[in-house]
Amino acid sequence: MKIRNLSILFVCLFATMQAFGWGQKGHDVTAYIAECHLTPKAAKQIDKVLDGHSIVYYANWLDNASHTPEYAYTSTWHYLNIDEGKTIETMPRNPKGDVLTAVTTIYEKLKTGGLSHEEEQFNLKMLVHLVGDMHCPMHTGRLSDRGGNNRPVVLFGRPSNLHSIWDSGIVEAAHKWSYTEWQQQIDRRNQDIETIQAGTPTDWLLETQRICNEVYEKTPEGTKVSYDYVNKYAPIIEQQFLRGGLRLAHLLNEIYR
């Protein structure tokens, strides 16, 4: 009976974790791309704030922290739901907070300065993670189906859901690369970095939401996701990793200029 109860608890915890953004690999990739584009001054200051750790070290920290009583208030900060037929202006915002509000507020707080070492470190760790979440398409998904968590699909013959396959399923199916190999392959210095970094967090989230709308349209309930789907959408994921990393670097370079 105890073993059965533990199994049920594990399944429930895993299902809950699916509410959060890119899987570990995605956040590591985004953070490492950002790290590769930091100015020397920003890199030095960030090293001091994080007590010698890199931003990659803390890329997934908030996913774990949001499950603890101390930081449970951040659980809604990973996404911003926009229902079908709604826009960011007409969709009621979550009073507990959302990813756009969090990124904007944290960025301004870090840029203004005057924080204690502990406060600055805490806010920096959150910003690193949340900019990644902002670029995960299903994190602008519909409230009606919990960002795709309640839209069943089949991934290579196994039951899954739309949110989960976009967090990690397609990522792992596309390439078996380490996060450094992902950076080496998609951050090739042939992109227009200034154009990618232009705009505001609101612009970036709306860009992500347009991708999300296409994903919903092309992935009805029960879709059997196989190699053709992965082949079609892997470039979009690569694009979002790159955008997230370059934009995170831009924000950090602005904060620590």
Side-chain angles (χ1 to χ4, degrees), residues 92-192:
R93 300 286 280 272
N94 192 324
K96 295 181 180 180
D98 57 66
V99 69
L100 179 58
T101 301
V103 166
T104 303
T105 302
I106 292 168
Y107 169 72
E108 292 298 335
K109 191 181 296 186
L110 287 168
K111 197 160 190 247
T112 300
L115 304 174
S116 69
H117 178 73
E118 292 74 18
E119 290 172 334
E120 185 174 9
Q121 184 181 97
F122 173 59
N123 280 278
L124 177 55
K125 291 190 292 186
M126 288 199 295
L127 185 66
V128 169
H129 184 86
L130 294 174
V131 172
D133 279 344
M134 178 179 283
H135 289 82
C136 184
M138 296 316 299
H139 278 245
T140 60
R142 301 168 185 170
L143 180 62
S144 58
D145 64 9
R146 296 177 56 246
N149 277 284
N150 292 347
R151 176 170 288 213
V153 299
V154 178
L155 178 65
F156 291 105
R158 295 185 178 184
S160 187
N161 64 73
L162 185 58
H163 191 110
S164 180
I165 67 169
W166 273 86
D167 276 1
S168 57
I170 304 174
V171 176
E172 295 300 335
H175 304 291
K176 298 300 182 183
W177 294 334
S178 66
Y179 71 83
T180 57
E181 290 171 327
W182 270 94
Q183 183 275 330
Q184 290 165 5
Q185 295 304 319
I186 68 176
D187 185 14
R188 305 293 289 181
R189 305 286 179 176
N190 59 354
Q191 62 272 354
D192 186 345

